[in-house]
Amino acid sequence: MIRFKRCRRGIMVLLALLVTFSAFNVPAYAAENDGQTTQETELLHLMPEELEAGKQFYFKGMPYNGKNSPIKKYNGKKIKPGTIQNFAYTPDGKYVFTTGEGKVGSTRHTILSRCRYPSKIGASSKALFIQGHVLGGYGHGETIDITQPDLKKEVYHIWVATKPTGGFYGLQIARLTYVVDDGVGEITNVVRLTNFCKTNYNKKGKPARFEDSKYGKYYAKRVNVSVDTDNNQIAFRIEFTNDQTRYVIYDYKKINKALNKLENGQTLDMKTALKWQVANIKFNSVPYRTFQSFCISDNTVYLAGGYLKMGAKIYMFKYKPHKKGKLKTQAIGKSKIKTIINIIPQLTVKKTQLGVNELEIEGLKVYKDKHGNPNMYINFYQKDIPITSSIGVYKFSLSQTITQNELDDLREQKRQEEERKRQEEEERKRQEEEQKKLEEQQKQEEEQKQQEQEQSSEGQQEQTSEEQQAEQTTEDQQAEQTTEEQSTEQQTSDAA
């Protein structure tokens, strides 16, 4: 079994993470495996600072429900654009296309937007809106992929879902030929893939409908698409009304060649393409039971799911293509999920702090760098944030994640740090109390000393006063005695 390679973080990285760890609260769900992992599954976590640092750009001037929207009406009626559901880069690196829902009354259309891919990557970089198209009746707009027949020509094949039932999710896949001439884009050709219910096979190896004794016949509810041209594969995720899900994967070149033979508006019945099928996979799990998007790369399915107040995760599982003419169904259970990436949603958008209650994962793509290493790209719905110039695309790789043990260590370090701070705070308060008591004691001693000094001063003053009175009395007595003596002498003299 092929194992994914990833760089392990050392103690220095953990310490670096610890510095910023106290700036956010890791939700309780971050360490949970929601009962879907085994010892074979690697649970990884993408920390908020890594997510934020991976911002590639943000879309600017996008359609929105406002007076300055570049798209306001469809067939003369007001259209209400929604958030960006998904995105895809053109192989020549010139444009990034997005899909999203646009409602006219209760009818859902897909808004296809072409944006200029920024010359520089970074949080302040902008993918400027250039041109938009309303794909009438195409539905929610949650899937898109792009291939390019010739990198020297601005001619693109854009793969999207269409023909929804009940006006919501698409049941067919359309390949739009999109030509940019002198800066203006135009859809010149539309061909479709249909009848995905019959992409199974019977015991004789013939095309057949998906059905079994438990559920009976399967009926499709939504179909999504992903293309891996490097591996010559095109994958379709079929979700049925009975909540069963199948992934059917085909030889991309064969499918594309068959579509090239069709006239504009024609369809290819997928039951005729069974001979080109390379994998038929039964996999019913999805993160938080809420599917958002998927893609394939190097025989690996990347599956994104989540919702507001729940979280965001990506499941990764390997599949093995069967040999030509050797049809085989692979039943992949929860225990075969190779990797689960738990994305801890926390972003700062327009100076507003957004967390799990305001962020919902939407689009997912896997593109390789110049060394052939896969990187994941995602975008979010942002509650209560205007969509016209705020939604970003974020990039990360497995090497930027941390393991459950590392997260536990980080949490323990945070707990110890908080305990240390608590003890320091208690010690600070204790010292303050002691200092306060000491100051009170010193104050009392000073007051007592001052009182004693005052009492001593008063005593000295009384003593001095008594001494002065005694001296005065003595002087008075002496004066009286002198006076008496003088009087006696005077009397004696008079008698003589």
Side-chain angles (χ1 to χ4, degrees):
M1 181 178 293
I2 299 175
R3 299 189 63 85
F4 294 100
K5 296 181 179 179
R6 62 184 300 274
C7 298
R8 298 298 182 189
R9 299 279 181 164
I11 187 64
M12 294 304 294
V13 175
L14 282 173
L15 291 175
L17 286 172
L18 184 60
V19 173
T20 57
F21 195 88
S22 58
F24 59 87
N25 293 318
V26 179
Y29 63 79
E32 300 298 325
N33 62 20
D34 59 27
Q36 296 184 332
T37 62
T38 66
Q39 292 181 350
E40 296 183 14
T41 303
E42 185 175 33
L43 178 60
L44 305 175
H45 302 273
L46 182 68
M47 305 304 283
E49 68 274 8
E50 293 285 0
L51 175 64
E52 189 91 64
K55 189 172 185 178
Q56 303 294 285
F57 54 82
Y58 68 92
F59 295 99
K60 185 171 179 60
M62 300 297 288
Y64 73 106
N65 188 24
K67 65 179 181 179
N68 295 320
S69 175
I71 297 178
K72 298 184 182 70
K73 292 185 177 181
Y74 175 65
N75 288 343
K77 296 182 179 180
K78 182 180 178 180
I79 188 169
K80 296 181 180 179
T83 191
I84 295 173
Q85 293 292 329
N86 215 328
F87 63 92
Y89 298 171
T90 58
D92 58 11
K94 293 183 178 180
Y95 307 107
V96 52
F97 283 78
T98 70
T99 50
E101 182 182 283
K103 290 184 69 176
V104 177
S106 60
T107 303
R108 291 176 170 86
H109 309 285
T110 295
I111 296 179
L112 177 70
S113 299
R114 177 168 62 98
C115 304
R116 176 71 63 184
Y117 190 84
S119 58
K120 293 182 179 180
I121 295 301
S124 61
S125 297
K126 308 174 186 66
L128 298 175
F129 174 88
I130 300 173
Q131 189 177 3
H133 308 264
V134 179
L135 308 179
Y138 273 46
H140 191 51
E142 81 276 13
T143 188
I144 182 174
D145 214 337
I146 299 176
T147 55
Q148 189 173 2
D150 187 347
L151 292 178
K152 296 180 180 180
K153 299 178 180 180
E154 291 190 29
V155 179
Y156 309 100
H157 286 161
I158 301 178
W159 306 77
V160 295
T162 183
K163 297 295 180 182
T165 177
F168 208 86
Y169 299 119
L171 298 179
Q172 299 180 5
I173 296 298
R175 191 197 71 177
L176 316 177
T177 300
Y178 191 98
V179 180
V180 179
D181 186 11
D182 197 23
V184 179
E186 181 184 4
I187 299 172
T188 61
N189 182 277
V190 180
V191 291
R192 291 176 285 120
L193 302 168
T194 186
N195 202 12
F196 282 92
C197 286
K198 294 186 178 180
T199 51
N200 201 17
Y201 57 91
N202 58 25
K203 293 181 180 180
K204 295 181 179 181
K206 301 296 182 180
R209 174 185 288 273
F210 285 97
E211 60 180 310
D212 56 37
S213 58
K214 182 178 180 179
Y215 295 105
K217 294 181 178 180
Y218 288 22
Y219 295 92
K221 181 170 66 176
R222 69 197 296 185
V223 181
N224 297 78
V225 63
S226 176
V227 184
D228 179 7
T229 54
D230 290 343
N231 211 25
N232 189 34
Q233 293 180 356
I234 183 168
F236 305 97
R237 181 185 186 272
I238 313 166
E239 187 175 319
F240 297 95
T241 56
N242 57 14
D243 292 332
Q244 294 293 295
T245 305
R246 298 293 182 271
Y247 297 79
V248 287
I249 303 173
Y250 293 81
D251 183 308
Y252 163 70
K253 292 180 180 178
K254 297 290 187 182
I255 294 290
N256 202 46
K257 186 176 180 180
L259 291 175
N260 289 340
K261 295 178 180 180
L262 300 180
E263 298 293 331
N264 185 33
Q266 290 186 325
T267 62
L268 173 66
D269 191 327
M270 287 302 293
K271 72 178 182 181
T272 66
L274 184 63
K275 56 185 173 291
W276 303 322
Q277 191 177 107
V278 298
N280 190 313
I281 305 164
K282 175 183 178 181
F283 183 80
N284 290 320
S285 296
V286 63
Y288 299 105
R289 298 183 180 180
T290 306
F291 171 77
Q292 294 293 352
S293 55
F294 93 107
C295 60
I296 61 167
S297 179
D298 292 335
N299 299 333
T300 302
V301 171
Y302 297 74
L303 178 62
Y307 200 66
L308 293 176
K309 300 181 180 180
M310 297 170 68
K313 288 182 180 178
I314 296 175
Y315 288 173
M316 297 169 57
F317 64 88
K318 302 287 290 185
Y319 60 88
K320 185 178 181 180
H322 51 240
K323 295 180 180 179
K324 187 176 181 179
K326 301 289 184 180
L327 297 173
K328 183 179 180 181
T329 298
Q330 298 178 58
I332 300 178
K334 296 176 182 177
S335 63
K336 296 301 180 181
I337 299 174
K338 184 60 185 173
T339 303
I340 293 179
I341 304 172
N342 175 54
I343 301 168
I344 301 176
Q346 183 165 311
L347 297 171
T348 301
V349 179
K350 299 285 187 179
K351 298 182 180 180
T352 301
Q353 190 80 4
L354 303 179
V356 67
N357 293 332
E358 298 84 25
L359 293 172
E360 175 181 315
I361 191 170
E362 296 288 356
L364 165 68
K365 287 293 177 287
V366 176
Y367 295 122
K368 295 178 181 177
D369 61 21
K370 62 182 180 180
H371 303 293
N373 301 313
N375 292 302
M376 283 159 272
Y377 297 75
I378 57 177
N379 77 285
F380 292 89
Y381 160 70
Q382 302 162 169
K383 184 181 179 182
D384 299 330
I385 301 293
I387 63 177
T388 178
S389 298
S390 64
I391 297 175
V393 171
Y394 300 83
K395 167 190 169 186
F396 66 93
S397 66
L398 287 179
S399 65
Q400 293 172 267
T401 62
I402 63 174
T403 65
Q404 182 63 46
N405 288 338
E406 289 170 332
L407 180 61
D408 291 341
D409 291 343
L410 201 58
R411 279 178 165 164
E412 177 59 22
Q413 290 182 45
K414 181 175 183 288
R415 187 196 65 77
Q416 292 178 1
E417 178 68 12
E418 290 176 345
E419 177 64 19
R420 181 185 65 79
K421 289 182 178 180
R422 185 189 65 79
Q423 292 178 355
E424 288 180 350
E425 180 65 15
E426 289 181 353
E427 177 64 18
R428 183 187 65 80
K429 289 181 178 180
R430 187 188 65 79
Q431 290 180 358
E432 285 181 352
E433 288 292 328
E434 289 185 354
Q435 181 66 25
K436 187 177 180 181
K437 289 180 180 179
L438 181 61
E439 290 175 354
E440 293 248 350
Q441 183 178 355
Q442 290 176 344
K443 184 179 179 181
Q444 291 176 357
E445 290 177 353
E446 288 177 358
E447 289 177 349
Q448 183 177 358
K449 184 177 180 180
Q450 184 176 359
Q451 186 177 4
E452 290 175 352
Q453 289 176 346
E454 290 176 353
Q455 291 176 350
S456 175
S457 176
E458 290 176 355
Q460 290 177 354
Q461 290 178 356
E462 290 178 356
Q463 181 178 359
T464 301
S465 177
E466 290 176 354
E467 290 176 351
Q468 290 176 348
Q469 289 179 358
E471 290 178 355
Q472 184 65 39
T473 300
T474 301
E475 290 177 355
D476 291 344
Q477 290 176 349
Q478 290 176 349
E480 288 179 358
Q481 183 178 0
T482 302
T483 302
E484 290 178 355
E485 289 177 353
Q486 291 177 350
S487 175
T488 302
E489 289 178 356
Q490 182 65 40
Q491 290 177 1
T492 305
S493 176
D494 291 342

